[in-house]
Amino acid sequence: MKILHLYYDIMNLYGEYANVSALERIIENSGENAEIDRLTLGDNADINSYDFIYIGSGTEDNQKLVLKDFAKYKESLAQFIDSNKPVLFTGNSFEMLGSTITDCDGNVYEGLGLFDFKVVEQNKRRVTADIVYTADFLEKPIVGFVNKCSEIEGIDKPLFQVKNGIGDNSHSKCEGIRSNNFFGTHVTGPVLIKNPHFLVYISELISKNTSGFAVSDEHLQNETAAYEVTLRELTNRYAQ
């Protein structure tokens, strides 16, 4: 299995590298080899030679630096998404795929334009929350943490429904975006460590697109126990 971790050094807030580490571990525990390429600014990747692509969260300044470099992958990433191969962007990385990003000073940055949504940063005001989301493709809710300064308008295919916490904007009950097997979410933490059922789901998508290996979750007992505690505590907190 070939995994591409793009901008691994500059888009790596909140221990986001662990999403890739979790995937590597579950693939290898399922009897397959995982080859990880970690590339950054100035490198060049043959996007469509990979089985999975990941970008994590960065500061707003780093996001703008990456955006300049990332534009070279526009066409190949669009082909990758159209081919139904799995992609996960967490934090503010998925914002780069919209039409524009307007920063808190009013400067407008052109996104890759793979989607029509628009991002507006809110005068350096950060919004943070522990969250509980649901998804129609997962049997269990998603738990995690969101820390952002942006509001997003124009997403017509959201990834999650907000049960507790914050959505794409101040009036939205939806969060993130999904297109085929592209998953974009502000949830950090990292999301695949905090939600082992989502990790298994992504791994099964990789399996379907490659050798069809049987995904083993036998080593995830601790992660599952931690998830259950987190879900219970967040549910109780929001019920008060």
Side-chain angles (χ1 to χ4, degrees), residues 195-230:
N195 298 276
H197 55 298
F198 192 22
L199 171 62
V200 170
Y201 183 84
I202 295 288
S203 303
E204 288 174 342
L205 291 178
I206 296 174
S207 172
K208 290 177 182 178
N209 281 287
T210 55
S211 63
F213 63 92
V215 176
S216 173
D217 60 357
E218 293 180 355
H219 67 287
L220 296 175
Q221 295 93 337
N222 290 335
E223 290 89 341
T224 300
Y227 164 82
E228 296 293 347
V229 170
T230 302

Side-chain angles (χ1 to χ4, degrees), residues 7-211:
Y7 310 110
Y8 70 97
D9 52 349
I10 196 170
M11 299 290 282
N12 191 33
L13 295 176
Y14 315 113
E16 296 294 84
Y17 71 91
N19 283 313
V20 174
S21 299
L23 266 176
E24 180 180 21
R25 183 181 178 209
I26 194 171
I27 289 171
E28 292 185 343
N29 275 279
S30 300
E32 297 290 329
N33 294 322
E35 176 184 338
I36 316 295
D37 285 348
R38 296 176 173 86
L39 303 180
T40 189
L41 296 172
D43 293 332
N44 292 292
D46 178 6
I47 290 287
N48 286 292
S49 69
Y50 292 93
D51 302 307
F52 175 80
I53 299 172
Y54 175 72
I55 302 180
S57 180
T59 66
E60 281 68 44
D61 287 342
N62 284 353
Q63 180 204 55
K64 308 307 184 297
L65 288 175
V66 166
L67 184 58
K68 295 179 181 179
D69 187 81
F70 194 39
K72 65 191 177 189
Y73 296 122
K74 176 179 178 178
E75 299 302 325
S76 55
L77 181 61
Q79 293 172 4
F80 194 96
I81 294 172
D82 287 344
S83 72
N84 281 319
K85 289 183 178 180
V87 186
L88 176 63
F89 285 13
T90 58
N92 60 356
S93 59
F94 84 88
E95 297 177 356
M96 298 187 295
L97 302 189
S99 59
T100 59
I101 300 174
T102 303
D103 71 14
C104 59
D105 296 317
N107 301 306
V108 179
Y109 299 82
E110 294 295 322
L112 268 65
L114 298 189
F115 305 106
D116 294 332
F117 65 80
K118 295 182 179 181
V119 179
V120 179
E121 295 175 2
Q122 301 297 303
N123 194 30
K124 299 183 180 180
R125 178 180 61 87
R126 305 206 68 84
V127 179
T128 64
D130 293 310
I131 61 86
V132 180
Y133 295 156
T134 60
D136 58 9
F137 59 92
L138 294 173
E139 293 183 357
K140 298 179 180 180
I142 290 286
V143 299
F145 180 71
V146 170
N147 180 347
K148 64 175 185 170
C149 68
S150 61
E151 295 224 329
I152 301 179
E153 300 280 357
I155 292 180
D156 58 0
K157 294 181 179 179
L159 176 58
F160 298 128
Q161 298 295 315
V162 177
K163 183 177 181 181
N164 301 117
I166 55 179
D168 289 322
N169 54 62
S170 58
H171 56 269
S172 177
K173 298 300 290 182
C174 299
E175 198 280 332
I177 186 169
R178 181 175 185 179
S179 177
N180 293 335
N181 288 320
F182 171 81
F183 306 89
T185 177
H186 278 109
V187 179
T188 56
V191 65
L192 296 186
I193 294 289
K194 288 192 171 183
N195 298 276
H197 55 298
F198 192 22
L199 171 62
V200 170
Y201 183 84
I202 295 288
S203 303
E204 288 174 342
L205 291 178
I206 296 174
S207 172
K208 290 177 182 178
N209 281 287
T210 55
S211 63

